[in-house]
């Protein structure tokens, strides 16, 4: 059973469209994240949610909006897509309590291509 | 400004030999570090961690060394296997539970 799953894996769309990427984790973690891997391969944090509260927004354009219906899900909605939004988006989760190594568990990634 | 650097974009090693991947950081507040491995079309997977109270951590073929004064850590893989061929990311955080900053990755190729 996949620990962190995100859909779709591939998404091709036109500029100006609105799209969503879904993420679910079955690890019981208290915090979920969205990362963007750009063309230079850097993994940059976009958002994190802890117990349904947004606790970070790293200067991401407000066209991007995370939505968390419950602590097992963190969806990413993107309005008015631009060419520069083309990237691979990774969902991740972790526990921030003092157990284990606190590492991030990543989904497989969603490759977004904006034409 | 890159707070976590991996200055070697790629590294090739012969099977059975040692692979050494390096990571440097600029923020002296970082005290918890992780290494991740990533295969194409997959998400990064956790390999090994180290906190600033240690200078070495081992897990099987993988050992991470931390030199706090030099703000440098390295991942040693011994012996290297073809299945180790992947991109390796170093990540750092200011303390346990805080957000991680990732380096740009090093692509390791282990040649049979």
């Amino acid at each position: 059973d996949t620990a962190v799953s995100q859909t779709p894996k591939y998404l091709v769309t036109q500029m100006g469209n609105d799209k969503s990427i879904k993420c679910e984790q079955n690890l019981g973690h208290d915090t979920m994240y969205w990362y963007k891997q750009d063309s230079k391969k850097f993994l940059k944090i976009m958002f994190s949610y802890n117990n349904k509260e947004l606790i970070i927004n790293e200067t991401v354009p407000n066209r991007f909006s995370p939505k968390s219906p419950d602590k097992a899900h963190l969806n990413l909605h993107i309005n008015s897509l631009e060419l520069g939004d083309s990237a691979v988006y990774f969902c991740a989760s972790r526990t921030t309590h003092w157990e284990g190594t606190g590492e991030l568990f990543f989904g497989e990634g969603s490759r977004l291509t904006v034409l | 400004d890159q707070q976590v650097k991996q200055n070697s974009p790629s590294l090739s090693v012969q099977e059975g030999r040692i692979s050494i991947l390096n990571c440097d950081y600029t923020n002296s507040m970082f005290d918890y570090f992780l290494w991740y491995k990533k295969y194409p079309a997959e998400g990064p997977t956790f390999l090994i961690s180290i906190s600033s109270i240690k200078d070495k951590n081992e897990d099987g073929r993988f050992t991470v060394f931390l030199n706090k004064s030099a703000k440098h850590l390295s991942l040693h893989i011994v012996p290297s296997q073809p299945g180790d061929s992947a991109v390796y990311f170093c990540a750092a955080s200011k303390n346990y539970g805080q957000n991680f900053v990732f380096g740009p990755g090093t692509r390791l190729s282990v040649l049979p």
Side-chain angles (χ1 to χ4, degrees):
Chain A
D1 222 11
T2 306
V4 181
S5 59
Q6 51 184 110
T7 56
K9 191 164 184 175
Y10 299 97
L11 186 54
V12 181
T13 188
Q14 300 286 330
M15 274 176 52
N17 285 349
D18 302 340
K19 289 295 177 186
S20 293
I21 306 172
K22 295 184 177 182
C23 179
E24 175 182 5
Q25 56 97 2
N26 61 7
L27 298 166
H29 287 164
D30 61 356
T31 305
M32 295 183 71
Y33 303 81
W34 278 104
Y35 280 82
K36 178 181 179 181
Q37 186 178 33
D38 60 23
S39 57
K40 294 185 178 178
K41 305 303 181 187
F42 282 92
L43 276 165
K44 293 184 178 176
I45 190 169
M46 300 177 71
F47 302 103
S48 73
Y49 255 74
N50 181 300
N51 291 326
K52 299 180 69 173
E53 289 186 50
L54 177 67
I55 58 175
I56 291 178
N57 182 333
E58 296 282 328
T59 64
V60 172
N62 58 14
R63 297 182 297 103
F64 291 79
S65 54
K67 297 194 190 311
S68 179
D70 55 62
K71 74 173 188 175
H73 296 83
L74 182 64
N75 303 325
L76 182 65
H77 190 75
I78 316 169
N79 290 327
S80 304
L81 278 157
E82 300 178 357
L83 292 176
D85 298 332
S86 295
V88 182
Y89 293 85
F90 288 99
C91 178
S93 71
R94 70 188 290 207
T95 179
T96 56
H97 300 298
W98 284 94
E99 14 179 295
T101 51
E103 74 266 27
L104 291 161
F105 289 76
F106 283 88
E108 291 191 330
S110 297
R111 179 176 293 277
L112 171 65
T113 303
V114 182
L115 303 175
Chain B
D1 179 33
Q2 285 186 54
Q3 296 186 71
V4 179
K5 303 178 184 183
Q6 294 176 257
N7 292 323
S8 298
S10 62
L11 175 68
S12 291
V13 170
Q14 209 68 36
E15 181 179 4
R17 306 295 289 267
I18 184 171
S19 295
I20 300 176
L21 297 110
N22 293 306
C23 177
D24 297 289
Y25 58 97
T26 58
N27 191 334
S28 57
M29 299 293 290
F30 287 146
D31 64 2
Y32 188 60
F33 305 89
L34 306 181
W35 281 95
Y36 278 83
K37 177 168 75 172
K38 185 183 179 304
Y39 293 119
E42 294 185 12
T45 54
F46 170 73
L47 268 180
I48 193 167
S49 66
I50 191 166
S51 72
S52 60
I53 61 173
K54 292 185 174 182
D55 55 17
K56 177 182 173 181
N57 190 24
E58 278 183 88
D59 185 1
R61 296 185 298 114
F62 301 92
T63 303
V64 57
F65 295 92
L66 174 63
N67 182 333
K68 291 187 290 292
S69 60
K71 297 193 188 71
H72 176 83
L73 62 156
S74 61
L75 175 68
H76 293 211
I77 307 173
V78 184
S80 301
Q81 299 173 354
D84 297 330
S85 297
V87 177
Y88 289 78
F89 291 96
C90 169
S93 72
K94 291 180 184 178
N95 51 57
Y96 189 96
Q98 296 300 307
N99 294 315
F100 288 101
V101 177
F102 282 80
T106 296
R107 181 177 301 279
L108 173 66
S109 299
V110 180
L111 309 173

